[in-house]
Amino acid sequence: HDALHDREQFQLVAIAALYIAIKTNEKVAFGSAFFAALSHDTYSIDDIEGMELSILEGLSWRICAPTSIQMAHHILSVLLPHVNLQDSTWGFILDEVRFQT
């Protein structure tokens, strides 16, 4: 709630959220030192990493939910050794899952 009323706290939350988003979604990672420098040292590495931890704990570490296609692929991979599916059937099922998303 402090971030809604405190500009500096809001900016720290925004920087930490961007830091998390880049770490989880991009191939190139930037360290917290980069974000501290980006803030012109308004926020320290410890500030950014502390807020990152607060955000992740607030979200119960649920930041990368699998997509439906990932779940279908995982389920089919587990089942595949136990069933006799043709490659074309496998492809059809994955195409249907993609279509449904």
Side-chain angles (χ1 to χ4, degrees), residues 16-26 51-67 70:
L18 180 61
Y19 179 47
I20 293 167
I22 289 173
K23 283 173 63 174
T24 57
N25 295 306
E26 298 298 328
M51 184 56 71
E52 174 193 24
L53 183 59
S54 293
I55 292 170
L56 292 173
E57 287 175 345
L59 295 171
S60 300
W61 291 83
R62 289 177 278 166
I63 57 169
C64 293
T67 64
Q70 290 170 323

Side-chain angles (χ1 to χ4, degrees), residues 26-95:
E26 298 298 328
K27 293 179 181 166
V28 177
F30 298 98
S32 52
F34 172 81
F35 288 94
L38 190 64
S39 76
H40 301 285
D41 296 318
T42 301
Y43 308 105
S44 69
I45 292 170
D46 289 340
D47 291 336
I48 294 167
E49 291 177 356
M51 184 56 71
E52 174 193 24
L53 183 59
S54 293
I55 292 170
L56 292 173
E57 287 175 345
L59 295 171
S60 300
W61 291 83
R62 289 177 278 166
I63 57 169
C64 293
T67 64
S68 58
I69 192 71
Q70 290 170 323
M71 287 301 299
H73 193 273
H74 177 72
I75 291 167
L76 291 173
S77 295
V78 170
L79 292 176
L80 193 59
H82 305 288
V83 296
N84 187 14
L85 280 180
Q86 296 177 353
D87 287 342
S88 61
T89 304
W90 168 267
F92 174 77
I93 292 169
L94 291 178
D95 285 343

